[in-house]
Amino acid sequence: MDLKKITTDQAPVPAGHYSQAVVYQGLVYVSGQLPLDPVSGTLVSADLEEQVRQTIRNVEAILHAAGSDLAYVLKTHIYIADVRYWPEVNRVYAAYFRDHKPARAVIPCGELHYGALLEMDVIAAMGPEVAGM
């Protein structure tokens, strides 16, 4: 099996036994990302909008390290601490993804690690320059 583990210092270092992402057969599987600052490893803010932005920036940094981009995201899972966060999360998410609308699940799940208000993982295709498309 030809798995490639992805690591970048532009996203938070994993705190457990997992990779930031794994690439397999032209797909990038990004582990759940929290709104942590990549340098300090701490929660960026209590503000929901800033947490959404940082989480997406962390995902994007990992995708770039893998040779992909938000434009190639196929599926997202967004775990939110409270269903009332859905409209704001959706608004900020839409600003990043613009016309691109990956398949998505938003899952209200209660308390998240470090008091984060959301966590996001994605599956993306490799960029055409990397995948030979």
Side-chain angles (χ1 to χ4, degrees):
M1 196 167 7
D2 190 26
L3 295 176
K4 180 180 177 187
K5 295 174 188 161
I6 303 299
T7 304
T8 178
D9 62 1
Q10 301 301 303
V13 174
H17 186 75
Y18 62 93
S19 298
Q20 288 173 321
V22 174
V23 175
Y24 181 67
Q25 293 187 346
L27 295 176
V28 184
Y29 299 86
V30 178
S31 292
Q33 295 300 304
L34 294 167
L36 302 179
D37 178 271
V39 176
S40 69
T42 61
L43 199 62
V44 292
S45 166
D47 179 69
L48 178 59
E49 180 173 344
E50 183 53 33
Q51 286 198 23
V52 177
R53 290 183 185 286
Q54 186 63 52
T55 300
I56 294 173
R57 286 192 296 261
N58 291 341
V59 167
E60 186 173 38
I62 295 167
L63 288 171
H64 287 171
S68 188
D69 191 80
L70 292 176
Y72 300 107
V73 171
L74 305 171
K75 172 79 171 148
T76 64
H77 295 105
I78 303 172
Y79 304 90
I80 54 177
D82 192 308
V83 72
R84 67 189 165 106
Y85 300 150
W86 191 94
E88 181 72 359
V89 170
N90 189 62
R91 183 187 67 77
V92 177
Y93 176 96
Y96 275 87
F97 282 91
R98 296 180 296 280
D99 291 336
H100 179 46
K101 294 181 178 180
R104 183 180 81 175
V106 178
I107 305 113
C109 63
E111 186 178 342
L112 290 161
H113 206 41
Y114 305 117
L117 302 177
L118 78 150
E119 181 171 351
M120 182 171 145
D121 66 69
V122 307
I123 300 170
M126 297 296 292
E129 60 282 347
V130 176
M133 297 177 2

